[in-house]
Every structure is written in structure tokens, then in C-alpha cells.
Amino acid sequence: IVSFRGQGQSMLIILGYILLYLYYIINHTNKLYEIPPVSTFFTVANIYLFALIGVTISYVFIGLINIAVLLLLGEYYSLLVFLSSYKGMLLIFIFSLIIACFYVTAFFIKPLILRIIVVIFETIFFKVLLINSNIILGSTDNMTFLKSLSISENFSFIFTILLISIIVLAPLSIAISHRLYRGRNIPC
């Protein structure tokens, strides 16, 4: 079970699996999503919708599993700590959506070498960003990373910036992906 009680970054493992699956769907030789006779914009929007629904369902499912396990084990204090870190989980969720927007757009780049370079640079950038945020906010023996995000004095500012970023970034990312997708030579 992926635990939200440990480092908050463990939640991003789920996102990694979803992105790996999306990469396989987009860049596989059999593009099953191209079979239905729909517009390319509809196809691209559905790929982004898949990422959104996948992340949401996974986070909710794992959160419910953690709550059930903590209740069954009788760790009520740990359950209260877990429930009190909901703000941190919300920030990680929005940050996961931002990461998904960047990666899914990169998956539509046609030249393989350019796609690999972009994905490697994105991975390095986001890993450095997560390491720096963990160092700045830190997690001590008494407080998890998500709890430290939840009680941060800059929570409202960080939340507002991330929310504005996803509102601007998602449509922009879909538009860029649509343009990249239309530029592909689709064998029919």
C-alpha cells in the first residue's frame, strides 16, 4: 500500500504508472484510439481526460485503502494525522495534474530522439523541484511532508499559484498536443 503518511512524493508513483501507460497508448504501433471516426481534438481531449480520471480515481482509492487499514489496525492517532494532511494531498494532486500536462504534451512529439530528450529534461526538472520542496518544507520525525505542506504559512499562496497554473496550462497543453497530433502522418 502506498502510504500518504510517509513522504508525499510517494503519491507521484501512481502518476508515473499512468503516464507510462499513456506513453504506451500514444506511441504504440497499434493506435486503437484512432479507430473511432471522431475529430482529432476529441481524441486528444479524451487522452487528457484519461489522465485526469486515472489520477483522481487512484488517489481516492489509495486514500480510502489507507483510511481502512488505519481503522482496522486501530491507529487512530495516525488516522487523525492522515486526515489533517488533506491540504497537502490536494497540493500534490494539483501538482500531479500539472506534471501530467507537461508529459502528455511531450508524448505527442514525433521525432523519437527529441521526445526522449524532452521527457528526460522534464523528469530531471520535476525531481529537482520535488527535492527542493522537500528540503525547504522538510519532514521531521513528528511531521510528514504532506502535513508540513498542510500547515505551511504559504499554503494559500502556493495553492492559488498551482490552481491558476493548471487552469492556464491544461487548455494550452491540449492545444499544443492537438497541433502536434495533427502533424503526424497517420497510416490508414
Side-chain angles (χ1 to χ4, degrees), residues 53-74:
I53 291 173
V55 169
T56 304
I57 288 174
S58 299
Y59 283 11
V60 168
F61 182 70
I62 289 182
L64 292 175
I65 287 175
N66 275 311
I67 290 171
V69 167
L70 290 174
L71 283 175
L72 289 174
L73 295 177

Side-chain angles (χ1 to χ4, degrees), residues 3 10 12 26 36 48 50-51 63 70 84 95 107-109 125 128 131 137 152-153 158 165 168-169 172 174 185-186:
S3 176
S10 64
L12 298 176
I26 294 169
Y48 278 88
F50 174 79
L70 290 174
S84 67
F95 188 66
F107 295 161
F108 282 102
I109 296 174
F125 172 75
V128 167
I131 289 171
L137 293 172
S152 172
E153 56 201 30
I158 295 170
S165 298
V168 170
L169 185 65
L172 184 65
I174 292 171
N185 294 327
I186 303 169

Side-chain angles (χ1 to χ4, degrees), residues 4 31 38 56 60 79 93 104 108 125 127 135 138 152 182:
F4 289 138
K31 296 183 180 2
V38 294
T56 304
V60 168
L79 179 64
F93 173 73
V104 174
F108 282 102
F125 172 75
K127 188 60 182 172
I135 290 170
S152 172
R182 276 192 344 203

Side-chain angles (χ1 to χ4, degrees), residues 9 128-138 145 148-149:
Q9 298 169 12
V128 167
L129 186 65
L130 288 172
I131 289 171
N132 283 339
S133 65
N134 196 12
I135 290 170
I136 291 170
L137 293 172
F145 179 70
S148 62
L149 278 175

Side-chain angles (χ1 to χ4, degrees), residues 15-176:
L15 178 65
Y17 286 116
I18 291 171
L19 290 174
L20 186 63
Y21 186 67
L22 277 173
Y23 181 83
Y24 178 76
I25 288 172
I26 294 169
N27 293 300
H28 192 262
T29 54
N30 293 332
K31 296 183 180 2
L32 297 176
Y33 61 89
E34 293 178 347
I35 293 173
V38 294
S39 69
T40 56
F41 180 78
F42 184 76
T43 302
V44 171
N46 277 330
I47 290 172
Y48 278 88
L49 187 63
F50 174 79
L52 171 70
I53 291 173
V55 169
T56 304
I57 288 174
S58 299
Y59 283 11
V60 168
F61 182 70
I62 289 182
L64 292 175
I65 287 175
N66 275 311
I67 290 171
V69 167
L70 290 174
L71 283 175
L72 289 174
L73 295 177
E75 296 184 23
Y76 300 111
Y77 177 74
S78 296
L79 179 64
L80 290 175
V81 170
F82 172 73
L83 293 175
S84 67
S85 63
Y86 74 93
K87 289 180 182 177
M89 288 183 271
L90 185 61
L91 286 180
I92 295 293
F93 173 73
I94 293 173
F95 188 66
S96 296
L97 295 179
I98 291 172
I99 291 173
C101 286
F102 277 101
Y103 275 99
V104 174
T105 303
F107 295 161
F108 282 102
I109 296 174
K110 185 175 181 179
L112 178 63
I113 191 71
L114 183 60
R115 185 183 334 134
I116 290 172
I117 291 171
V118 169
V119 168
I120 288 172
F121 280 126
E122 286 176 349
T123 304
I124 292 169
F125 172 75
F126 285 122
K127 188 60 182 172
V128 167
L129 186 65
L130 288 172
I131 289 171
N132 283 339
S133 65
N134 196 12
I135 290 170
I136 291 170
L137 293 172
S139 58
T140 63
D141 294 334
N142 300 331
M143 191 180 312
T144 64
F145 179 70
L146 290 176
K147 183 66 177 170
S148 62
L149 278 175
S150 298
I151 64 169
S152 172
E153 56 201 30
N154 297 329
F155 172 79
S156 298
F157 178 73
I158 295 170
F159 181 73
T160 304
I161 294 298
L162 286 177
L163 199 56
I164 290 171
S165 298
I166 193 66
I167 290 171
V168 170
L169 185 65
L172 184 65
S173 178
I174 292 171
I176 293 170

